[in-house]
């Protein structure tokens, strides 16, 4: 049924049909493509001298993200230790001592995590 020149409605040259509208549209698209490639070759799209400002803004945002991460690690360590100490105080009836000891342990763990994140201290697996 199908011969070598037609394959699924396509002709051998890649066009779908031979109507004048399709030929005109194909010619307009080819012309547009040539003009866009000529214009796009001489211009950097999306950068109008603000590349340095964007890099600076990204660096500030990255620094802020690192600072927020470190502060949240410190606060999480203290709050986690305090919550654990408060729970032990309630269970064992050793009123302030569990809270005090575990809050200090949580602070120590938070500081160690911040130092690790900052790169000041190597991870224990790297020390061995």
């Amino acid at each position: 049924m199908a011969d070598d020149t037609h394959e699924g409605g396509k002709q051998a040259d890649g066009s779908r049909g031979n109507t004048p509208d399709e030929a005109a549209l194909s010619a307009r698209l080819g012309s547009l493509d040539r003009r866009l490639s000529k214009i796009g070759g001489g211009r950097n799209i999306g950068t109008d001298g603000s590349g340095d400002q964007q890099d600076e803004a990204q660096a500030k945002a990255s620094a802020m993200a690192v600072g927020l991460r470190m502060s949240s690690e410190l606060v999480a360590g203290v709050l986690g230790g305090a919550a654990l100490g408060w729970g032990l105080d309630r269970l064992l009836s050793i009123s302030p001592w569990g809270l005090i000891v575990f809050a200090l342990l949580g602070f120590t763990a938070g500081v160690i995590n911040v130092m690790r994140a900052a790169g000041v201290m190597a991870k224990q697996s790297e020390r061995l």
Side-chain angles (χ1 to χ4, degrees):
M1 297 243 164
D3 59 345
D4 293 334
T5 59
H6 289 85
E7 210 174 287
K10 277 189 169 183
Q11 292 182 350
D13 63 352
S15 64
R16 290 192 175 255
N18 56 1
T19 63
D21 292 337
E22 290 178 3
L25 180 62
S26 178
R28 285 177 49 203
L29 285 174
S31 171
L32 179 64
D33 185 41
R34 284 190 299 274
R35 286 187 295 167
L36 284 175
S37 64
K38 188 187 320 181
I39 291 171
R43 180 181 4 170
N44 290 334
I45 299 173
T47 57
D48 48 340
S50 64
D52 295 333
Q53 293 173 352
Q54 289 176 350
D55 291 342
E56 188 175 318
Q58 286 178 350
K60 284 182 182 178
S62 177
M64 184 179 286
V66 169
L68 285 173
R69 177 181 170 219
M70 288 185 187
S71 64
S72 66
E73 285 186 9
L74 181 63
V75 170
V78 173
L79 290 179
L84 189 63
W86 181 78
L88 284 176
D89 279 345
R90 291 290 182 183
L91 285 174
L92 302 176
S93 298
I94 52 171
S95 188
W97 295 109
L99 180 65
I100 293 170
V101 169
F102 279 95
L104 290 173
L105 286 175
F107 176 75
T108 305
V111 169
I112 288 172
N113 282 336
V114 167
M115 290 174 62
R116 240 185 240 152
V120 174
M121 193 171 98
K123 292 182 182 177
Q124 187 171 3
S125 61
E126 293 173 357
R127 283 188 272 168
L128 298 176

